Amino acid sequence: MQLSDIPFGTTDWAEIAPSEHPGESGEAFWRTRHFGDIRARMVEYTAGYLADHWCSKGHILLCLEGELVTELDDGRVFRLTPGQSYQVADQAEAHRSSTEVGAKLFIVD
């Protein structure tokens, strides 16, 4: 990843209007900033959220609050709690997210 042409700045994520993304169950709320080709998001999943798709996009994801369950298409399952992260490359391993209790995440992709 090359970070270029991004002047220093700060982000107050509470000031960015969330966009709603319904899952198969529950909802996701994204607060999104774009920096050239890089997207940074503060994402909140409601309790009972299950993604409505398998994702092949690469991410670096940090769990800030709650608990996130990430299932890979090969059947492996990973449970993240606050302070834990995962990283995956584009087109590497399809994955989908769910949470029973809700989760707040910071994602860069």
Side-chain angles (χ1 to χ4, degrees):
M1 174 187 329
Q2 178 68 34
L3 298 176
S4 58
D5 299 320
I6 302 172
F8 180 84
T10 63
T11 301
D12 182 345
W13 291 96
E15 291 184 1
I16 298 173
S19 58
E20 186 176 334
H21 302 264
E24 186 172 305
S25 62
E27 297 174 315
F29 296 93
W30 299 6
R31 298 175 191 272
T32 306
R33 296 275 324 260
H34 288 91
F35 305 98
D37 292 337
I38 298 166
R39 176 175 68 174
R41 297 177 286 157
M42 188 73 67
V43 175
E44 295 186 51
Y45 292 146
T46 62
Y49 176 82
L50 171 63
D52 64 352
H53 67 284
W54 288 88
C55 180
S56 330
K57 176 91 176 108
H59 315 285
I60 298 173
L61 178 150
L62 172 64
C63 181
L64 300 171
E65 296 175 9
E67 182 178 82
L68 179 72
V69 176
T70 300
E71 178 183 3
L72 303 185
D73 65 352
D74 66 8
R76 289 180 290 161
V77 176
F78 299 87
R79 190 171 305 272
L80 275 65
T81 57
Q84 293 183 305
S85 64
Y86 78 68
Q87 54 284 327
V88 64
D90 288 329
Q91 311 305 317
E93 294 164 295
H95 50 280
R96 72 174 173 178
S97 297
S98 65
T99 177
E100 291 181 13
V101 299
K104 185 174 187 178
L105 315 165
F106 186 72
I107 305 170
V108 177
D109 49 26

